[in-house]
Amino acid sequence: MTQDELKTLVGQAALAYVQPNTIVGVGTGSTVNKFIDALASMKTQIKGAVSSSEASTARLKALGIPVFDSNEVPELAVYIDGADEIDHHGYMVKGGGAALTREKIVAAQSKQFVCIVDESKWVPVLGHFPLPVEIIPMATQRIQAAFSQMGGHAAVRLRDGQPLVTDNGQHILDVTGLQISDPMAFESAVNQWPGVVTVGVFAHQKATTCLLATAEGVKTMTF
Ligand code: 5RP
């Protein structure tokens, strides 16, 4: 099975977690795009979605799924999103699609976080995938220096030769060379640094369920 087929499989499997007559939290990325496409088949059964990015909002609306502002919805039953890495406790690295801050906001308002990934994302320890961090541009050098002190290397993410600008008007650092052995402590510490909007470690908002697409089918892990 190709990686694209695995993404389709797990995107469809996530429909089982969508309860009729509710608003569903929707993440961002190529795996979530498969989920959004599958969700269109249920659009008359749900009220709509809260979205974590402009890209997902556009895709949802194009399929006729109403999108609500996060502030309009006190609590969501479920949030469905992908990840760049997920470990065996449900801790994740996210933000490969630069949507980490809004993803964390929607995850925080959701009772359940169902993470949909193919098996290439399942890791024993976080840190192989470059860690995305959304930052305020005036703090770039200080934050790069702080990561250097931890043994990491933080590079500004570029698009067409210029710093990528997020949906929130900020920049992204991608940090290599880290071994994130204590994700809870790491997330708490880095989120305190002045100028950090959000670090892409999702430990406080970890997955409650992981749907893992493998060649043998979708495996379900609960944490
Ligand atoms: C976007 C994310 C995505 O969930 C993550 O990058 C995985 O994306 P994909 O499904 O395309 O591999 O965190 O900010």
Side-chain angles (χ1 to χ4, degrees):
M1 229 184 271
T2 65
Q3 197 181 29
D4 193 63
E5 287 166 338
L6 291 174
K7 289 178 181 185
T8 303
L9 193 68
V10 78
Q12 288 169 346
L15 285 185
Y17 291 81
V18 178
Q19 295 161 21
N21 210 28
T22 61
I23 299 173
V24 56
V26 175
T28 299
S30 56
T31 313
V32 165
N33 283 345
K34 305 290 192 181
F35 167 67
I36 294 173
D37 295 348
L39 189 63
S41 68
M42 281 184 74
K43 70 180 173 193
T44 57
Q45 296 166 56
I46 59 168
K47 287 185 183 159
V50 170
S51 166
S52 62
S53 64
E54 300 299 333
S56 289
T57 297
R59 197 175 188 99
L60 287 158
K61 286 185 174 169
L63 290 166
I65 300 170
V67 177
F68 292 84
D69 187 287
S70 169
N71 291 300
E72 292 179 88
V73 187
E75 189 173 77
L76 298 165
V78 68
Y79 177 58
I80 313 279
D81 198 0
D84 300 303
E85 291 183 330
I86 179 164
D87 75 9
H88 303 186
H89 303 283
Y91 299 140
M92 297 166 285
V93 164
K94 294 182 43 53
L100 60 162
T101 300
R102 295 189 188 193
E103 291 173 341
K104 211 174 265 189
I105 292 168
V106 187
Q109 75 186 101
S110 304
K111 286 209 285 199
Q112 255 195 302
F113 186 142
V114 177
C115 178
I116 52 173
V117 287
D118 63 77
E119 57 191 343
S120 68
K121 312 281 186 71
W122 182 247
V123 297
V125 181
L126 303 179
H128 184 66
F129 188 90
L131 174 69
V133 185
E134 184 164 4
I135 60 156
I136 291 171
M138 74 175 282
T140 302
Q141 291 204 2
R142 288 186 65 83
I143 296 170
Q144 284 177 313
F147 278 119
S148 289
Q149 288 208 331
M150 296 173 107
H153 175 76
V156 176
R157 192 182 298 181
L158 302 178
R159 179 181 284 168
D160 301 327
Q162 295 298 317
L164 176 144
V165 178
T166 67
D167 286 351
N168 310 310
Q170 310 302 339
H171 290 176
I172 298 283
L173 291 177
D174 290 307
V175 191
T176 51
L178 301 173
Q179 277 251 329
I180 305 167
S181 51
D182 185 346
M184 292 286 266
F186 183 93
E187 181 183 13
S188 297
V190 175
N191 267 345
Q192 298 300 320
W193 295 355
V196 168
V197 180
T198 311
V199 63
V201 170
F202 283 53
H204 294 277
Q205 267 75 47
K206 71 173 193 163
T208 51
T209 300
C210 176
L211 301 182
L212 187 69
T214 75
E216 292 80 47
V218 176
K219 295 182 183 163
T220 304
M221 259 76 69
T222 50
F223 308 105

